[in-house]
Structure formats: C-alpha cells, structure tokens
Amino acid sequence: MTTAHYDIVVIGSGPAGQKAAIQGAKAGKRVALIEQEFEVGGACVYRGTIPSKTLRESALQMSRFQRTAEVFEFKLRDDVKVASLMSRLDHVVKTHGRLMNDQLTRNGIERFHGRARFATDREVQITTVEGTSLRLRGEVIVIATGSRPRIPESIPVDHEHILDSDSILSLVYLPKSLTVLGGGVIASEYASIFAILGVQVTMIDTADRPLRFLDQELTDEFFAAFYKSGGRYVGGQQIEEVAWDGCSRVVTRLKSGETVLSEKLLVALGRVANVESLDVQAAGLDLTSRGLIPVNHQCQTPVPHIYAVGDVIGPPALASCAMEQGRRAVRHALGLDPGLDPEHIPMGIYTVPEISSVGLSEQEAVGRYGGALVGRAHFHEIARSQISGMTNGVLKLVADPTTERILGVQIVGEGATELIHIGQMALLNRLHVESFVDTIFNFPTLAEAYRVAALDLLQRRPSRSSVISRDGL
Amino acid sequence: MPTSSIVASTDLDRADELRHVLTRRLDEGELDLPLLPHVANQVLTLAHDPNADAGKLATLIQQDQALAAQILRIANSPAYLPRSPIVSLQQAIAWLGLNMLAGIAFSVSLQSGVFKIVGYEREVQLLWRHALATGLYGKEIARRLRHNVENAFLCGLLHTIGKPLILHVLVSDRQRSMRLPWSVLEPLINEFHIPAGVRLAEAWALPDPVQETIRFYQDDRYHEARSPTKGAVITCLADHLATFLLDPAEMEEDALRALPVIRDLNLYPEDLTALLDLADTVRPSVECLIV
C-alpha cells in the first residue's frame, strides 16, 4: 500500500474540520481532508443543525399561517406531512454543501471519501466505501470526527417507534403524541418545534426544569411558551423502562410510578464522540472516562502533533466554537499566532421561542461582583414585536454594579440568536450601559429592546434598588 | 427466478404479440386494474390513521376469516417466537405490532385475492417471496442508516406490484387452457411491471413514497426519486439483497458488493456484511408470511 504525504491530515469535515483544513491551506500547506460521508459538512449539515433549523423554520411559518388564517380566509390541511415541512431541506443542504465544496476546492484541499483509522501516530489508513484502502501520512493530524446521539443500552431505539435525533428527521407523518427524553438543548428544541406543530409533547428529565444551565428567567419564558403550545414537562424523574407496546403506543414507565404513553418517543440524552473506528490507541492516545479525546486549551492532545477539535473533545459542542477550535488548532500547530483567546462566545438555542446568551448571567455576575444591575425589555413593549405578532420574550441586560459596564445579555424570544450579537459587540468593546441609551437604533426593530432594557436598568439605578446582593437572589 | 435460454420461435412470436397487446393496453389505459380488496384497502387506511388501535384492526381482520387464520398462523410461527401461544387477534396485534400486522394483512389479502392466478401459483408465490424479502431487508437497511424505517416494509412489499398484475393481464388475455411458458412471460413481466405498477398504485391511492418507489426503485432510476423517506434507493438495494437471498445463482456476492447503490447509500463493506448476516432472520420471516 502506497502512502501519500501531507503537511496536515484532517479527519472529519464538519465545521471544525473544515476550518482546520482551510486554515492549513491558507497557510500554504498541503492538506488532506477525510470524510466518511459523501458530502462535506458532517452531522451539522445532514443530521443536526441545518435540518432541525429548517424544520423549525417551516413549523414557525405554519404556526404564523394558522394564526393569520382567519384574516386571510384560508385553511391549512389538517394532515400536514413532515415531508412537506422538510421540502426546503434538500435545497438548503445542497446549496450549503456546494458552497462548502467550492470553498475547499478553491483552497486546493484534497478530499478523501472513506473511514479513517490510525495506523501509527503519523499515519492514517482510509477504507473507502468500495472496500479499498489507502494510507496518508501527516506531519500534523487533526481529529474532527464529531458526535452522534447517545443511546443508553436500556432504551430500545428501533428508529420506527423509538427514535433518536437523527431518525426523527425522517418521520413520515406527524405523530399525535411524542415523549421526549432529556432536558437539554436538543430535547428542548425538538419538544418545542413539535409542540407548535400540534403534537402532544411530554418532556421527561431528571432535572426539575429544562435547560438548567440557563438563567431561570429565560427558562420560565420558554416554559410558558411550551405550555401554551400544549407541551408538558415532567421533571425530577428517573426512567424505569421504555418499551413499545407492540401495538400503537410507546410506554415510558417512571420510577415514580407514573406511566406516559405516546405514539413516538425521542431519545435526546446527549451525544457521544465518534471515536470507535479511529483506533486512537494506535496513535498513542487514550480516551477520557467520558469517551472524549483529551486536549489542552490549544486543542492539542498528549501526542503533540495530533489535535482534536469540535464535539469529539466535548462541551460546549457548538458549531461556532468548533470552527474557531479548528482554526486555532492549526495555527498553533504551524507556529502561527492564534490571536487572542476568544471571549464572550454566544450560545444560541433554537427552541420556540429562541434563546440566546452571552457573557455573565445575573447569578454569575452576583457571584463574581457581589451584585448586579439588571434591566429588562419585554418584547410586548417593543413596536416591532407587536407588528410581527411575536410578543413573547424578554431581553435582560446585566451590568457591573460599580462601573455599570455590561457583563452579559440574555434573550428569549424570536430573533434572539441574531439580536445577541449586539450585546456580544458591547461586551467585546467593554461598553457601559449608557452606550445603549446614547445610540439611535432603527425604528421599529427588535434591537430597540437594548435601549429599553438599558433605560430600565438606569431607572432603577438612583435608588440602587436593583443592585441585587448575593443574599437577595 | 431462472429463465430458460431456449425459447422456441413460436414462443417468440407469442411474446411479440403479447408485447404489442400490453403496450396498447398500457397506452390506452385499458389495463383492467383489479380493485383493491376491501380488507386490504381498509387495513392500509387504518395503518395511516393516527387514531388506529388494536381493537379497530382486530375488528377489521375478523371480517375475513381466512385472513384472520393466516395472521394467527404467522404470529405463532417460529420466525416471530411468541412467548406463549397466540390465541387471539388482539394478542397477535400486540405481539407483531400494528404496522407489521397491517403489512401482513395487506400482503395476505392480495396473495389470496386479486393475484391468485390459476395455473401460475408457484410463480406468483416466488414473486411474493421476493417482495416480502425486499420489504424485510428494506427495514433493516433503513435501520442501518439511522433512518426512519416506517415506510420501508410497505415500499419493499409493493415495489413490484406490477409483476403479478402483468401476469394477471397476460393470463386473463389468453384462453386458460393455453398455458404460456414462464420463459415467455417473465421477460414481458420485467419489461412492463413498472408502468403497470404505477397505474395500479395510482388507482389504489397507495401512499406517495410507495408510488415513488414503484416508479424509481431500479438501479438506473433511483436518482430521480425525491422523497425524503429514501424508499426508492433503499428498496433498490433491498431488492438485490432479496435476490441474493432467494436466488443466489442470480448474483454472486462480489457482484452484489460492487453495486453502485451500495456506494450511493454510503454503506461500507462492514455495513453490507451486517446486512448479509441477517439472512437467517429474513428467510424464516419470508417463509412464514407466504400464504
């Protein structure tokens, strides 16, 4: 077997792998990119981010149509097919895939279609889909193989009645009822999407509320919208058994004695790194106890010329972070300045309504500064929200109680994932609350919420009543 | 299915004559499509009814004693390994599952109904055996792809529904005493089954993914299918796996592994090995589903 030599070999073409490869190519290096699927993009494009957001957008459009049906005197079909909701997906995915392919080609990156396995710490063997093998040698190797849904052994996922977050995207029809196991990001996103589509959704999780890592005000708002759509959350529960009754219902028995029946069940209990077929031991690497590849803050593994980026190294498992990890890892490997450590990375959660956060939450600010100035803008106060009929939501501004410098922004409501970037820029530029009061925004826009929240914060300031002490929370 | 390479000239003449008849009848829409059996029709409707339950299906199946008896036989067969003898339809439904049972009921009612073709029982059985194996493999391929498996069985089961229809048309077009050799019929069936199957699927209002699968399941057409259920491409491979299982002389493993559809489904050699390893599960399931 002949061995081809490259400066950099990247395994996996999701957001992390792509950016690693492009960074290498832009630095003038010869780069090979290995992908086991046909197209580049990874789970992000084909099984995760892009498809679920497309479904979400279709669900929202349908919800808007339903709300305005009486005004425009039309009626939607009762039996909306999932295929119809996903009709734009193929176009979106193909367009995205073509753009990524063009970008890789433009940068002279050589692509290989096959499954990669370490032969040594410098060599990777590729088995193609036809069964042939070839070997690549890389001076630097970047592992970016991503993740897949975690399925506990006790849950019999059959992709027919009991689904994971991959197979739920190929549902043939909308079920009447859906149980969602989990209370994290993926669980909350799908639960809220199916709820607005009219499916009776029950979320079950061990935590007392979903998205526990977020400010409770945000989850309360999400909760209210979810319940209004007919959803139900059963928290603080352990699963005793999940089984299909062999007839028409999935039966979920809880240790509390409660039984939940549903037509389908979605298992959304986190993700696991795709490392099995890599044989990382052959490269001198061991996995962490959680099955992840261990790295330092430069995404460098204990084998110095091997880097790992994206979901394969664990949290935060955000596509945006993964891209930056890929870029920085290769810059570090090539001895180039990676730039300042990224600060204030926003988090976007595509629930209905959207949730987004950057910087410190109120609780975190109190913990770090001994108190926090807080201002809020409720979306029903914002003209643009009234116009678009999306009045559920709140923007929360958190500031240092002494200097009034902005420390964090949390938003729940439609447009949150876009709106957050104004707050992110304020944080990066260390702006003070008054900057938002002095700035003129377009009217009517959702961005006006920043000004409203800043005014609310400043209005509370003279009495200092909004400086919440640690004891006050 | 083996075909004799020696075809008498009179048979060739007959084949030409029949081809002409089939072409004309398809062109003119005179295929004399059989009605979907009442029970099969209702079973199909029920299988896509979100309010369906075991009780409704049991009541429906009870209307057809022969069908009820066949379902109990299948539920008790070793392929489905009941924990205890299945004695009631409700119990059979609970054990086999609503969707599987609906597929079985549909298949059984067709085998013993419209497509019971006197004089060609063995050939029709071979066609059904192949269709059932395709349906069962289809589910396993979908599962392997982490794709929803819900439609795969029905797509596989009905992908060649045009074959018994063409046989039915050819045979009913002749005097029954003149039994045509299979070597004459089989090429005609293979040539015309897709347009015939499409007409039948439209007339029976089969689900869209099934109609698309019938139209595009072949190697040179599955690229044209658009349904996100991937029924056509999955059924294409399932069809080859069924051939390999039931008629290994038709296809060697190396040829099977070299099929472009395997690459197009992005199935790696170990994935195909895992599917081939299911032969011992699929074969008995097929046998027990044959009426």
Side-chain angles (χ1 to χ4, degrees):
Chain A
M1 194 188 309
T2 56
T3 302
H5 290 249
Y6 290 86
D7 297 316
I8 302 169
V9 171
V10 180
I11 310 171
S13 72
Q18 264 179 67
K19 297 301 171 199
I22 289 168
Q23 175 60 74
K26 285 197 183 299
K29 299 297 176 185
R30 189 176 179 214
V31 182
L33 178 64
I34 308 167
E35 171 56 54
Q36 69 167 357
E37 301 293 335
F38 265 121
E39 305 292 344
V40 292
C44 167
V45 176
Y46 299 99
R47 296 174 186 266
T49 313
I50 303 272
S52 64
K53 276 55 178 177
T54 306
L55 176 64
R56 179 185 183 277
E57 201 55 41
S58 299
L60 280 174
Q61 283 176 5
M62 203 184 92
S63 172
R64 284 180 203 125
F65 277 137
Q66 281 169 337
R67 279 204 309 269
T68 53
E70 276 185 29
V71 178
F72 297 107
E73 296 178 352
F74 68 86
K75 189 176 185 305
L76 283 178
R77 288 172 54 156
D78 292 329
D79 61 335
V80 174
K81 295 175 184 173
V82 178
S84 310
L85 295 169
M86 299 295 275
S87 60
R88 292 170 50 246
L89 175 63
D90 199 42
H91 171 72
V92 173
V93 165
K94 277 189 177 147
T95 306
H96 197 73
R98 195 174 56 244
L99 288 170
M100 287 186 299
N101 247 324
D102 289 351
Q103 198 178 19
L104 294 171
T105 307
R106 217 170 36 240
N107 282 283
I109 294 160
E110 291 179 55
R111 281 187 53 201
F112 293 86
H113 175 207
R115 280 186 181 154
R117 180 175 68 79
F118 278 100
T120 70
D121 66 324
R122 297 271 183 193
E123 289 187 359
V124 174
Q125 182 164 318
I126 304 171
T127 304
T128 68
V129 74
E130 292 91 354
T132 57
S133 294
L134 65 151
R135 201 172 271 208
L136 306 184
R137 182 181 172 85
E139 296 312 309
V140 173
I141 298 176
V142 181
I143 304 169
T145 47
S147 64
R148 63 181 185 282
R150 183 178 80 85
I151 309 296
E153 279 183 16
S154 58
I155 299 179
V157 170
D158 58 8
H159 302 297
E160 186 167 6
H161 314 284
I162 303 172
L163 309 159
D164 64 17
S165 54
D166 286 354
S167 51
I168 197 158
L169 288 164
S170 51
L171 266 178
V172 183
Y173 56 89
L174 280 178
K176 198 172 175 186
S177 53
L178 175 74
T179 300
V180 178
L181 298 187
V185 172
I186 294 172
S188 302
E189 287 182 351
Y190 279 114
S192 61
I193 291 169
F194 280 97
I196 64 161
L197 286 168
V199 178
Q200 292 165 20
V201 179
T202 306
M203 283 179 83
I204 302 173
D205 193 40
T206 50
D208 59 350
R209 62 187 171 97
L211 303 166
R212 267 189 68 83
F213 55 92
L214 288 174
D215 185 316
Q216 187 159 353
E217 266 185 81
L218 271 66
T219 50
D220 285 350
E221 196 79 26
F222 164 73
F223 236 172
F226 181 55
Y227 270 80
K228 198 176 167 190
S229 309
R232 184 169 79 103
Y233 182 81
V234 185
Q237 298 289 336
Q238 301 278 344
I239 305 293
E240 176 76 36
E241 186 191 19
V242 171
W244 181 50
D245 72 354
C247 178
S248 55
R249 295 286 179 268
V250 179
V251 181
T252 307
R253 290 195 183 82
L254 308 179
K255 287 192 175 162
S256 64
E258 187 179 346
T259 297
V260 178
L261 300 175
S262 58
E263 194 179 338
K264 304 279 179 192
L265 179 138
L266 167 65
V267 183
L269 296 168
R271 296 181 70 86
V272 288
N274 291 326
V275 288
E276 290 78 7
S277 60
L278 278 177
D279 193 11
V280 292
Q281 287 77 13
L285 288 170
D286 285 316
L287 300 175
T288 68
S289 58
R290 295 181 58 211
L292 304 168
I293 295 182
V295 290
N296 61 20
H297 76 288
Q298 301 290 359
C299 297
Q300 189 178 31
T301 71
V303 179
H305 60 275
I306 300 180
Y307 290 74
V309 290
D311 284 10
V312 84
I313 62 171
L318 295 170
S320 54
C321 286
M323 292 183 207
E324 181 62 7
Q325 286 168 353
R327 190 189 70 83
R328 296 175 69 83
V330 168
R331 289 191 73 83
H332 184 264
L334 299 178
L336 302 170
D337 177 15
L340 295 171
D341 278 348
E343 275 187 289
H344 309 306
I345 297 168
M347 171 181 288
I349 301 173
Y350 293 83
T351 42
V352 181
E354 285 178 10
I355 300 173
S356 201
S357 167
V358 67
L360 300 183
S361 68
E362 182 181 341
Q363 291 93 332
E364 288 167 337
V366 170
R368 196 175 298 181
Y369 293 88
L373 288 169
V374 176
R376 293 174 185 80
H378 294 278
F379 277 27
H380 62 80
E381 302 167 313
I382 309 298
R384 184 60 180 262
S385 298
Q386 294 288 353
I387 293 165
S388 60
M390 300 285 195
T391 50
N392 293 326
V394 63
L395 182 148
K396 192 170 169 183
L397 210 53
V398 179
D400 182 333
T402 312
T403 64
E404 295 178 4
R405 189 165 62 85
I406 294 161
L407 299 175
V409 180
Q410 286 85 44
I411 311 171
V412 56
E414 280 318 302
T417 55
E418 293 286 355
L419 209 50
I420 200 73
H421 298 118
I422 296 174
Q424 183 189 22
M425 295 315 290
L427 284 166
L428 289 170
N429 289 289
R430 306 185 191 291
L431 298 184
H432 292 78
V433 176
E434 288 201 3
S435 308
F436 284 125
V437 179
D438 298 337
T439 303
I440 296 171
F441 290 103
N442 273 331
F443 180 85
T445 57
L446 291 176
E448 196 201 351
Y450 276 98
R451 197 158 186 269
V452 174
L455 287 167
D456 179 58
L457 187 149
L458 295 175
Q459 194 177 19
R460 294 160 184 261
R461 180 185 54 175
S463 66
R464 311 301 290 170
S465 61
S466 66
V467 180
I468 303 163
S469 72
R470 198 188 300 263
D471 299 334
L473 272 182
Chain B
M1 203 171 295
T3 311
S4 168
S5 57
I6 303 168
V7 181
S9 60
T10 51
D11 288 343
L12 288 174
D13 292 341
R14 275 191 212 169
D16 280 345
E17 178 203 334
L18 290 170
R19 180 174 290 107
H20 178 72
V21 170
L22 282 172
T23 305
R24 181 181 57 76
R25 291 182 67 172
L26 272 165
D27 287 349
E28 295 174 5
E30 292 176 4
L31 218 46
D32 187 23
L33 300 172
L35 291 173
L36 185 62
H38 177 66
V39 171
N41 189 14
Q42 290 201 307
V43 162
L44 197 63
T45 306
L46 199 59
H48 289 83
D49 178 357
N51 297 313
D53 61 34
K56 282 186 189 172
L57 191 60
T59 307
L60 184 61
I61 292 167
Q62 275 161 0
Q63 293 171 18
D64 185 330
Q65 285 183 330
L67 175 61
Q70 290 291 351
I71 283 170
L72 286 173
R73 179 187 67 78
I74 290 165
N76 277 303
S77 68
Y80 288 95
L81 291 172
R83 279 188 290 249
S84 57
I86 305 277
V87 294
S88 74
L89 276 176
Q90 290 274 11
Q91 199 186 357
I93 292 167
W95 184 240
L96 294 172
L98 191 64
N99 286 340
M100 189 67 194
L101 205 93
I104 291 170
F106 192 74
S107 155
V108 167
S109 64
L110 285 181
Q111 287 179 66
S112 52
V114 280
F115 293 130
K116 190 170 183 180
I117 301 169
V118 177
Y120 293 89
E121 289 83 357
R122 183 183 154 275
E123 285 82 1
V124 171
Q125 195 181 81
L126 288 173
L127 293 177
W128 278 115
R129 190 173 269 121
H130 181 89
L132 287 162
T134 305
L136 293 165
Y137 268 126
K139 286 186 82 163
E140 297 307 327
I141 295 166
R143 228 186 291 280
R144 191 92 202 150
L145 295 169
R146 303 163 69 85
H147 201 75
N148 193 295
V149 306
E150 208 147 352
N151 252 18
F153 181 73
L154 206 56
C155 286
L157 179 70
L158 299 176
H159 76 297
T160 48
I161 192 74
K163 287 191 175 183
L165 172 62
I166 290 292
L167 181 60
H168 170 76
V169 171
L170 289 172
V171 170
S172 59
D173 213 52
R174 314 284 303 176
Q175 291 179 355
R176 294 208 182 262
S177 57
M178 290 177 64
R179 189 185 189 281
L180 290 164
W182 188 249
S183 57
V184 170
L185 295 175
E186 192 181 33
L188 291 168
I189 289 169
N190 286 337
E191 185 177 341
F192 288 98
H193 80 277
I194 291 181
V198 169
R199 296 277 167 82
L200 192 60
E202 286 169 356
W204 286 359
L206 294 178
D208 291 347
V210 178
Q211 291 199 27
E212 189 186 65
T213 298
I214 293 170
R215 201 182 296 268
F216 296 125
Y217 83 88
Q218 291 191 315
D219 291 285
D220 56 345
R221 298 294 304 276
Y222 61 75
H223 292 105
E224 297 173 51
R226 291 288 169 265
S227 169
T229 60
K230 296 187 181 176
V233 63
I234 287 172
T235 301
C236 178
L237 176 57
D239 177 82
H240 288 299
L241 287 170
T243 302
F244 184 71
L245 176 81
L246 302 172
D247 197 1
E250 281 279 295
M251 178 176 273
E252 302 214 337
E253 188 175 331
D254 285 349
L256 176 72
R257 286 185 177 275
L259 287 168
V261 68
I262 295 172
R263 186 179 185 277
D264 288 346
L265 281 167
N266 208 46
L267 289 169
Y268 283 74
E270 58 269 32
D271 298 318
L272 192 68
T273 301
L275 287 169
L276 292 173
D277 287 347
L278 294 169
D280 291 341
T281 313
V282 174
R283 195 191 307 273
S285 298
V286 170
E287 295 310 320
C288 84
L289 289 168
I290 286 290
V291 176

